[in-house]
Amino acid sequence: MTLDPVALAHQLRKPDGDFGEEVGQKMAEFNAAANAWTLELLDIRPRDHVLEIGFGPGEALAEAVRLTPQGYVAGIDHSETMRSMAGKRNNRALMQEHLELSLGAADELPYPDAGFDKVFAVNVVYFWQDAERCCAEIARVMKPDGRCVLFMTRPDSWFPGLKDSGVFIAREPAEFEAMLKGAGFASARSVERKLGDADCVTVIGER
Ligand SMILES: C[S@@+](CC[C@H](N)C(=O)[O-])C[C@H]1O[C@@H](n2cnc3c(N)ncnc32)[C@H](O)[C@@H]1O
């Protein structure tokens, strides 16, 4: 894989074509610990309806499917390449209608109000131009008492060059806490943790 940071940043934002698939394979490898921590914090129950925003190669979706034998999982991503990759990875769950994948954007979720118990996004919030609207959309599609978890890596731990790529937006976790509360979440808090060498944070919102 070429390591031109601007090209890489664009692929991380919206993987496309063969290079996008290669980037997707790396995501599956590098984001395993982030996915595991996020899913642990979500505390998914067997009957939960779960939504992942920006599912990439679909590894966390597979785990969410495993955790919801009587539930339902939806995923949305704006990359056709990732929808195809995640679809292959989760073909059985798709056939069984346990999982539904949509092509679309976080600021306009194609779901009715109050349908999900749990919503999560791993390494996706950096790409939200209108993060306030994305948080409002999350609040809208969540059931009362639902929980959302937004995982992010601190900018100092990003791959060199991504910060200056013009593609990634660095925001403080406190900004997401405020946006979630402004969107109607009863509470929002951040938890910091090191994953390998990377400084990471999750923002946890309780609806
Ligand atoms: C860095 S990847 C992370 C993928 C996966 N969550 C993981 O941790 O391996 C970001 C993913 O979010 C998707 N994405 C970025 N911005 C998005 C948006 N505004 N709406 C929907 N999907 C988005 C990208 O297409 C990509 O698949």
Side-chain angles (χ1 to χ4, degrees):
M1 185 193 304
T2 167
L3 290 178
D4 168 41
V6 176
L8 179 63
H10 282 284
Q11 287 292 343
L12 289 167
R13 189 187 75 78
K14 191 174 187 181
D16 184 44
D18 290 344
F19 184 25
E21 221 172 290
E22 220 177 309
V23 169
Q25 272 154 14
K26 291 287 175 203
M27 287 180 203
E29 202 180 308
F30 286 122
N31 296 339
N35 283 330
W37 184 35
T38 302
L39 289 167
E40 182 192 318
L41 291 169
L42 276 175
D43 189 25
I44 293 176
R45 301 300 164 105
R47 292 182 188 282
D48 275 353
H49 286 202
V50 180
L51 169 65
E52 179 174 15
I53 301 173
F55 51 69
E59 295 298 314
L61 287 176
E63 185 59 8
V65 164
R66 193 185 69 77
L67 292 169
T68 55
Q70 288 100 41
Y72 166 77
V73 179
I76 184 162
D77 197 297
H78 63 185
S79 159
E80 181 59 78
T81 301
M82 288 302 98
R83 186 169 70 162
S84 159
M85 201 168 171
K88 283 183 203 146
R89 169 74 177 83
N90 294 281
N91 186 43
R92 189 158 158 214
L94 281 175
M95 298 299 283
Q96 293 172 337
E97 298 184 357
H98 186 160
L99 171 69
E100 181 196 350
L101 297 183
S102 300
L103 195 62
D107 60 5
E108 201 171 348
L109 297 175
Y111 309 106
D113 297 355
F116 294 102
D117 302 281
K118 309 281 163 64
V119 176
F120 69 105
V122 175
N123 281 324
V124 183
V125 296
Y126 330 116
F127 310 112
W128 292 354
Q129 294 284 345
D130 189 344
E132 206 168 336
R133 184 162 162 188
C134 296
C135 290
E137 278 293 86
I138 294 173
R140 180 183 66 75
V141 302
M142 292 201 69
K143 294 182 190 174
D145 299 330
R147 175 180 299 172
C148 86
V149 177
L150 306 176
F151 173 95
M152 56 201 89
T153 305
R154 287 277 194 188
D156 285 347
S157 299
W158 291 351
F159 184 80
L162 292 184
K163 236 193 288 189
D164 306 316
S165 63
V167 176
F168 277 59
I169 303 167
R171 288 191 186 91
E172 284 298 315
E175 293 179 62
F176 283 98
E177 290 176 31
M179 286 187 270
L180 289 175
K181 285 188 206 156
F185 278 78
S187 71
R189 65 194 168 95
S190 297
V191 183
E192 309 256 354
R193 181 167 169 182
K194 240 183 158 53
L195 293 179
D197 289 338
D199 292 315
C200 303
V201 193
T202 45
V203 179
I204 304 167
E206 308 282 354
R207 188 75 180 83

